[in-house]
Amino acid sequence: MREDQQRPVHLYNHQRNKFFITTKLFTHTTVYVIIVLLSYTLGYLSHSSPPPPPPPLPPPPSVFQLASLPTQLDNFRVAAHCSNSPLSPYLVFPTILQRVFQGSSPYTDFPPPHLRYILKPKRIRGWGSNGDVFEHLIKRVKPKLIVEVGTFLGASALHMVNVTRKLGLQTQILCLDDFRGWPGFRDRFKDINDINGDVLLLQQFMQNVVYFNATGSILPVPFSTRSGLEKLCEWGIMADLLEIDAGHDFISAWGDINGAYRILKPGGVIFGHDYFTAADNHGVRRAVNLFAQINHLNIRTDGQHWVIDTALVRKF
Ligand SMILES: C[S@@+](CC[C@H](N)C(=O)[O-])C[C@H]1O[C@@H](n2cnc3c(N)ncnc32)[C@H](O)[C@@H]1O
């Protein structure tokens, strides 16, 4: 006889009940789990999915990337009308005298009587104004006309006069400056006089030119660099050598370099101070680099100055 056949009947019934209860329970639990899962899935599907995270922003373009976008840079280009016929160097001083000073020299009877007692020649202060770069470039270019953009008291201009005299050159220098200095400059230069708050920077500069006997070599052009460069271009005045040393923020340096480049003779040299100074996060350097990049020109440095020699075209 088999073992189960030997089991008592009540035991058999008990097991059968247990089986039914377990099966029932299992069925209920399964149905419950399936319902929960279904409703969760439906809920999940019916919920609008959240937007995907935005793609990371591209890094801002560097000036060199911008330089490869000529259409954007066209907006920043200086586009003054320039004369088609360059003026002979011998006509430059007469033209400035005529157009800026109504035909007579600003040095005639200078200083006027009311300024004589306050204008004394000043110990001339500048910034890198006697650097070797001036002699290097004047020797190399032998300029007939130099335009200095940013003159102040005339330290660098008078140094250039000395160099050209030493080399026996007949060079003329136009000094473009509004002769206003910059806000706060009188904290540092306390001995420059004013009359009723109007600082005598132009007069002091002229006093220095007279004192160093350089009136035949230097003429001031007392305007903003922007309007002055535009007019020089319009009048056909072209320089062999251009020095840039006015505003040292990027925008000023960029405007001055671009404006000045339009009056540079082919093969001439444009150079300037403060390639290394931290003003406006090296604004001068950024402007010079960008300018050279766009125009395919090489930059070299000489002391504190940057130099672009247009006779040396970059070879690609
Ligand atoms: C650093 S100083 C020039 C120093 C001079 N090159 C030297 O070494 O003796 C700068 C001159 O630029 C002139 N300047 C600055 N911004 C100018 C602007 N937008 N227009 C005209 N002159 C400006 C100021 O009046 C100041 O005399």
Side-chain angles (χ1 to χ4, degrees):
M1 197 179 203
R2 285 192 354 228
E3 206 180 320
D4 56 339
Q5 284 173 333
Q6 286 172 356
R7 268 188 207 157
V9 174
H10 73 272
L11 258 181
Y12 176 77
N13 282 341
H14 174 73
Q15 274 188 346
R16 223 170 62 143
N17 285 344
K18 222 171 130 187
F19 171 75
F20 278 129
I21 289 167
T22 314
T23 314
K24 217 170 167 185
L25 254 178
F26 176 73
T27 315
H28 282 169
T29 316
T30 310
V31 169
Y32 178 75
V33 168
I34 287 171
I35 287 171
V36 167
L37 276 175
L38 264 177
S39 47
Y40 180 79
T41 310
L42 280 174
Y44 179 78
L45 288 176
S46 64
H47 182 264
S48 61
S49 51
L57 287 175
S62 69
V63 284
F64 291 112
Q65 285 169 306
L66 280 176
S68 65
L69 299 173
T71 46
Q72 287 188 21
L73 278 169
D74 275 349
N75 297 324
F76 297 95
R77 292 231 167 121
V78 175
H81 166 71
C82 294
S83 167
N84 291 328
S85 44
L87 209 60
S88 153
Y90 304 105
L91 292 177
V92 169
F93 268 33
T95 300
I96 294 293
L97 291 177
Q98 190 60 44
R99 297 209 181 239
V100 178
F101 298 106
Q102 277 76 48
S104 58
S105 166
Y107 301 112
T108 309
D109 299 326
F110 185 84
H114 69 287
L115 292 182
R116 260 176 214 152
Y117 72 103
I118 54 173
L119 282 181
K120 304 279 174 251
K122 293 277 179 243
R123 188 171 62 84
I124 301 192
R125 282 168 281 197
W127 298 260
S129 317
N130 298 328
D132 292 340
V133 65
F134 294 98
E135 186 158 349
H136 295 160
L137 294 180
I138 289 171
K139 268 186 181 156
R140 137 91 186 87
V141 177
K142 298 188 180 50
K144 289 196 166 55
L145 181 69
I146 301 174
V147 174
E148 179 176 72
V149 181
T151 291
F152 199 54
L153 291 174
S156 44
L158 286 163
H159 174 62
M160 289 193 281
V161 170
N162 282 339
V163 173
T164 56
R165 280 179 182 163
K166 199 172 82 181
L167 296 172
L169 298 171
Q170 300 286 313
T171 304
Q172 300 199 307
I173 305 178
L174 294 181
C175 291
L176 176 59
D177 196 307
D178 57 14
F179 295 98
R180 305 307 307 169
W182 54 92
F185 89 92
R186 296 186 69 200
D187 297 343
R188 222 173 120 194
F189 297 88
K190 295 191 191 303
D191 55 349
I192 298 176
N193 293 297
D194 70 87
I195 291 181
N196 297 340
D198 189 12
V199 71
L200 301 176
L201 201 50
L202 172 61
Q203 291 78 0
Q204 187 58 61
F205 158 79
M206 284 171 57
Q207 174 67 73
N208 293 339
V209 174
V210 169
Y211 182 77
F212 285 98
N213 199 22
T215 56
S217 306
I218 291 181
L219 263 187
V221 183
F223 300 109
S224 78
T225 56
R226 177 82 195 92
S227 60
L229 286 168
E230 199 173 292
K231 278 295 163 195
L232 295 184
C233 204
E234 198 181 305
W235 297 335
I237 292 176
M238 305 286 282
D240 311 283
L241 187 59
L242 271 161
E243 185 210 340
I244 311 293
D245 190 19
H248 294 343
D249 60 286
F250 173 83
I251 298 291
S252 300
W254 173 255
D256 291 347
I257 295 165
N258 278 275
Y261 190 58
R262 298 185 60 126
I263 63 159
L264 184 65
K265 274 194 190 151
V269 173
I270 181 168
F271 73 112
H273 197 220
D274 295 301
Y275 192 67
F276 298 102
T277 54
D280 185 30
N281 189 21
H282 297 286
V284 170
R285 190 188 307 185
R286 284 187 284 127
V288 174
N289 289 351
L290 181 57
F291 175 79
Q293 171 102 4
I294 294 168
N295 292 287
H296 310 299
L297 296 164
N298 282 322
I299 306 163
R300 63 182 174 80
T301 56
D302 187 332
Q304 301 168 342
H305 288 74
W306 55 271
V307 178
I308 293 178
D309 191 333
T310 62
L312 308 172
V313 177
R314 187 189 285 178
K315 294 188 177 54
F316 289 98

